[in-house]
Amino acid sequence: MTKKRIQLEQITGRLSRRAMLGGAATAVVALVQTASGKTIQQGVSISELLPDDPTKQIGTLAGEVGTRSAFEKVVKKPSDISSRSPLQDFYGIITPSDLHFERHHAGVPAIDPAKHELLIHGLVDKPLVFTVEDLKRFPSVSRIAFLECSGNFRSGKETMSPQDICGLTSQSEWTGVKLSTLFREAGVKSNATWFLAEGSDAAVMTRSIPVKKGWDDAIVAYAQNGEALRPEQGYPVRLFLPGWEGNTSVKWLRRIELSDQPFMTREETSKYTEPIKGAEPVRRSDGPGKYRQFSFDIDARSIITFPAYPKTVEKGWIEIRGIAWSGRGKVARVEVSTDAGKSWQLATLQEPILDKAHTAFRYVWNWNGVETEILSRVTDETGYLQPTLNQLFAARGDTISYHFNPITAWRIKSDGSVLFKPEP
Amino acid sequence: MNLYSLWLPGAFLLVMLTSRFQTIGEDRRTSPIAKVDTLPTHFGFGRPATAAEIARLDIDVRPDGKGLPAGEGQVLTGKQIFAAKCAACHGTGGVDGPNGSLVTTTNPGRKRPEKTIGNYWPYATTVFDYIRRAMPFSQPGSLTNDEVYHLTAYLLQANGIIDEKTVINAQTLPRVVMPAQKLFVPDDRKGGSEIK
């Protein structure tokens, strides 16, 4: 566990030195007073911090920053290139900023906000440079929306949690300046059809974006959930494109270049392109087919996050819970099946149901204790119904690639254990 | 949404032609009663970018060759640089390295061919752009323009796209036609009932 310093003056006096050196695992680092009266940092276990009766002892004093309860072990799952959000541990629709998924191509850069600048140039009347402070002076906008990596699908074994299967999606309230405001400021020329967004990380990440998206709803964001962006999310400035595949929302944004054609960067040619049904054979093993490029919209998706592996359930009333979202608008409805997809019932949607946003759903179910499968499927306001994995294979060939959003099934076994059911 | 985005650039032109202060109905799209904000077209924030600072940052290369610097590359020189600076991660000759192959092979043992520059990259200019901005992974941005041209020439030759004598520079690189270009189609998903 990462050591966190929390102020505990009020109770440290009562912690005996012996207790602090005791065998219990270190839970937190507290400021403690030694026998000689010196204040030092020391690891203490949860049980040592717990009074027998919290009403009989003054608690911790007010601190500079809040901390997560030492009893809550919610963590992302990192790999070399990404880190997945623990969807099964969340309540509601806002992802705590420190648990927002991460995906970067050459690590998280350390950037001094006082030195960071955003250049906008190319097909504009006036090429301009903005400091972060300049950007904050413009009229601001906030919106709650999801951000999902288009490579957000894992499968293959039963012991997978929602985090393992699709933890590369998160939701925040993003605040910044509309890109259209900056477009007007610089005077984007009428022949500009694309723009390049470039990051200030070691990958110097670049994507080409249609200018229309810039006029429509793109945000140059400097804040997330009420505070400055987290470094992992692009501090001090990122692009945010609601509803579009995460890679296009370029982080650590340093440059925007207006152009009359796409730049064909590596991330929109070699990567973030996927096989589709084309003129040539669909089955990739027979040779190359066609590949789809500039697949920006995130197709609608839902997943039950409770009950789900590794949690277990008991016979009786169970509130099935999950999230649903679409990159093309609002969630119109979510259906839940508790009989392996034979029949479907409408789930209750929790307000607010926002455009291009994770929407919470729930369905109360009385489980009779007999083994079954539970599933959810979303329909968005365009009428798109979340497909099965086999429908995706039929449409795109037998390779799992970007933009895979299949229905997720959970097996509830009679002993109450819950297992992911990968489609064959 | 369509109307809105068509309307905005139009409004912008109008604003340019008339006065500095023009009413822009920012919220017409969402609000039933048009909210009238008086927003200036220009706030005067930020500062003009100088040609020198644009040149320092403007490292991208487009398929038509715009952005390619002076200099040129030879296949054989590129081969040597590749062995010294790239092969540890991308394999000898660009095949089977720990960080992926860059050169196409017809390996019958594989279920499907690995995607590489030779069979999957639609534009040759991307090779130059990407190597210059991001490689070698452990020392990004450390290569000279000439080194990038040499490496680009070598990788195109190793993939059977150009011959050993072809010199790669700002004129020749955009003219290289990549075998994979015909494989790519634009996204046509539109929502609705069809699964694509």
Side-chain angles (χ1 to χ4, degrees):
Chain A
M1 159 173 179
T2 318
K3 292 204 167 171
K4 266 214 181 105
R5 204 185 114 142
I6 57 173
Q7 311 275 51
L8 290 164
E9 291 94 332
Q10 209 59 40
I11 54 170
T12 47
R14 293 165 205 227
L15 291 169
S16 75
R17 184 130 170 84
R18 195 179 48 80
M20 285 182 271
L21 297 172
T26 298
V28 289
V29 173
L31 284 179
V32 295
Q33 220 164 28
T34 62
S36 60
K38 224 174 120 193
T39 303
I40 56 158
Q41 278 194 12
Q42 182 134 17
V44 287
S45 71
I46 296 180
S47 59
E48 283 163 336
L49 292 178
L50 274 182
D52 293 336
D53 179 351
T55 68
K56 297 286 184 291
Q57 182 174 307
I58 296 169
T60 311
L61 287 186
E64 287 191 326
V65 290
T67 53
R68 190 160 287 136
S69 163
F71 294 95
E72 297 297 319
K73 298 276 179 264
V74 276
V75 287
K76 294 194 273 191
K77 260 195 194 172
S79 73
D80 284 353
I81 58 167
S82 69
S83 191
R84 310 172 82 80
S85 279
L87 300 184
Q88 66 281 352
D89 298 324
F90 293 156
Y91 306 91
I93 54 171
I94 298 292
T95 308
S97 299
D98 61 345
L99 297 172
H100 192 291
F101 84 87
E102 293 175 48
R103 172 74 176 103
H104 23 78
H105 289 249
V108 178
I111 296 175
D112 179 350
K115 296 197 181 121
H116 187 79
E117 291 179 331
L118 172 62
L119 166 66
I120 176 163
H121 72 115
L123 294 177
V124 297
D125 295 331
K126 275 189 305 176
L128 292 172
V129 175
F130 301 110
T131 64
V132 179
E133 285 311 308
D134 290 336
L135 294 172
K136 290 181 183 170
R137 290 174 72 191
F138 283 103
S140 58
V141 62
S142 290
R143 102 176 258 178
I144 294 171
F146 75 84
L147 183 67
E148 183 181 16
C149 174
S150 55
N152 190 21
F153 176 57
R154 292 280 144 85
S155 178
K157 58 175 190 202
E158 292 183 320
T159 50
M160 291 176 83
S161 65
Q163 177 171 27
D164 299 321
I165 298 162
C166 87
L168 297 178
T169 188
S170 298
Q171 176 148 293
S172 300
E173 182 199 47
W174 302 98
T175 298
V177 46
K178 284 183 183 176
L179 183 53
S180 59
T181 304
L182 303 184
F183 276 4
R184 278 198 295 274
E185 192 72 24
V188 165
K189 294 191 169 155
S190 58
N191 59 336
T193 49
W194 291 78
F195 70 89
L196 184 79
E198 184 177 83
S200 200
D201 57 335
V204 203
M205 178 55 59
T206 37
R207 286 294 300 256
S208 306
I209 312 292
V211 159
K212 183 181 178 307
K213 185 69 173 174
W215 287 115
D216 187 3
D217 60 1
I219 298 171
V220 172
Y222 42 75
Q224 174 188 11
N225 297 336
E227 61 171 340
L229 296 177
R230 296 282 168 132
E232 300 82 0
Q233 262 65 249
Y235 184 82
V237 190
R238 76 172 308 159
L239 189 62
F240 182 73
L241 304 181
W244 281 22
E245 65 179 0
N247 182 253
T248 61
S249 285
V250 173
K251 294 181 279 189
W252 313 292
L253 187 67
R254 74 168 192 188
R255 187 165 74 94
I256 285 176
E257 179 176 357
L258 281 298
S259 164
D260 57 4
Q261 53 184 271
F263 293 77
M264 300 297 178
T265 73
R266 181 253 189 176
E267 312 301 334
E268 58 210 22
T269 54
S270 167
K271 304 292 165 192
Y272 300 100
T273 49
E274 67 271 353
I276 51 154
K277 198 181 259 181
E280 287 167 83
V282 173
R283 296 190 79 81
R284 296 277 89 69
S285 40
D286 297 342
K290 290 281 180 192
Y291 294 88
R292 187 158 63 205
Q293 198 184 13
F294 300 119
S295 317
F296 296 124
D297 288 333
I298 292 281
D299 287 320
R301 187 171 191 180
S302 71
I303 184 168
I304 291 171
T305 54
F306 179 84
Y309 178 83
K311 300 237 172 79
T312 57
V313 287
E314 281 173 46
K315 194 174 147 174
W317 291 105
I318 295 172
E319 184 177 73
I320 295 174
R321 301 175 186 141
I323 48 169
W325 64 100
S326 169
R328 292 198 187 83
K330 292 183 183 175
V331 166
R333 69 178 162 273
V334 175
E335 295 159 285
V336 166
S337 172
T338 56
D339 57 7
K342 288 195 232 16
S343 67
W344 296 86
Q345 281 76 38
L346 273 187
T348 306
L349 298 183
Q350 169 69 58
E351 298 279 344
I353 302 162
L354 299 172
D355 187 32
K356 299 166 186 166
H358 285 171
T359 302
F361 69 85
R362 44 180 76 105
Y363 177 77
V364 178
W365 171 50
N366 196 352
W367 181 42
N368 62 9
V370 176
E371 173 160 342
T372 187
E373 280 168 32
I374 59 169
L375 308 84
S376 68
R377 64 182 189 194
V378 59
T379 304
D380 72 12
E381 57 181 351
T382 74
Y384 176 93
L385 173 64
Q386 184 181 6
T388 63
L389 188 63
N390 282 327
Q391 281 177 295
L392 288 166
F393 282 151
R396 302 183 192 168
D398 63 0
T399 314
I400 289 179
S401 186
Y402 300 96
H403 293 282
F404 261 61
N405 58 326
I407 290 174
T408 304
W410 300 102
R411 260 175 71 202
I412 315 275
K413 300 183 56 175
S414 48
D415 65 0
S417 60
V418 184
L419 292 171
F420 173 48
K421 190 190 174 223
E423 251 185 277
Chain B
M1 228 184 272
N2 276 341
L3 267 179
Y4 176 72
S5 53
L6 286 176
W7 174 84
L8 253 187
F12 167 64
L13 271 182
L14 192 80
V15 170
M16 290 288 289
L17 293 174
T18 53
S19 72
R20 189 169 131 77
F21 289 91
Q22 176 79 30
T23 298
I24 294 175
E26 289 274 312
D27 284 328
R28 222 170 265 186
R29 190 171 42 146
T30 47
S31 160
I33 305 160
K35 184 170 143 253
V36 181
D37 283 337
T38 306
L39 289 181
T41 327
H42 297 99
F43 290 84
F45 303 158
R47 61 174 170 80
T50 66
E53 66 188 338
I54 295 174
R56 188 170 57 78
L57 287 178
D58 186 5
I59 56 167
D60 57 75
V61 175
R62 292 197 319 201
D64 62 1
K66 184 171 170 288
L68 280 170
E72 59 180 32
Q74 315 274 349
V75 171
L76 290 178
T77 318
K79 190 176 182 172
Q80 285 161 10
I81 301 170
F82 190 87
K85 297 193 175 182
C86 322
C89 296
H90 293 295
T92 309
V95 180
D96 278 345
N99 293 111
S101 300
L102 305 178
V103 172
T104 309
T105 47
T106 45
N107 183 345
R110 280 181 186 275
K111 193 177 167 216
R112 16 182 113 80
E114 206 177 345
K115 287 176 184 157
T116 63
I117 291 169
N119 63 11
Y120 200 66
W121 286 46
Y123 299 95
T125 46
T126 313
V127 181
F128 185 97
D129 177 280
Y130 183 70
I131 294 174
R132 181 162 71 162
R133 75 174 56 242
M135 287 296 135
F137 193 70
S138 39
Q139 282 179 290
S142 63
L143 300 171
T144 65
N145 287 337
D146 275 340
E147 282 179 305
V148 180
Y149 272 125
H150 292 311
L151 286 162
T152 304
Y154 167 64
L155 286 170
L156 292 173
Q157 185 269 337
N159 276 290
I161 296 162
I162 61 170
D163 64 33
E164 225 173 75
K165 288 189 200 68
T166 309
V167 171
I168 289 297
N169 58 33
Q171 283 69 50
T172 57
L173 185 59
R175 290 207 291 268
V176 174
V177 177
M178 300 294 273
Q181 196 181 326
K182 58 183 184 299
L183 301 180
F184 286 86
V185 293
D187 183 21
D188 63 350
R189 293 169 306 148
K190 290 201 166 56
S193 58
E194 200 181 353
I195 303 300
K196 283 186 163 180

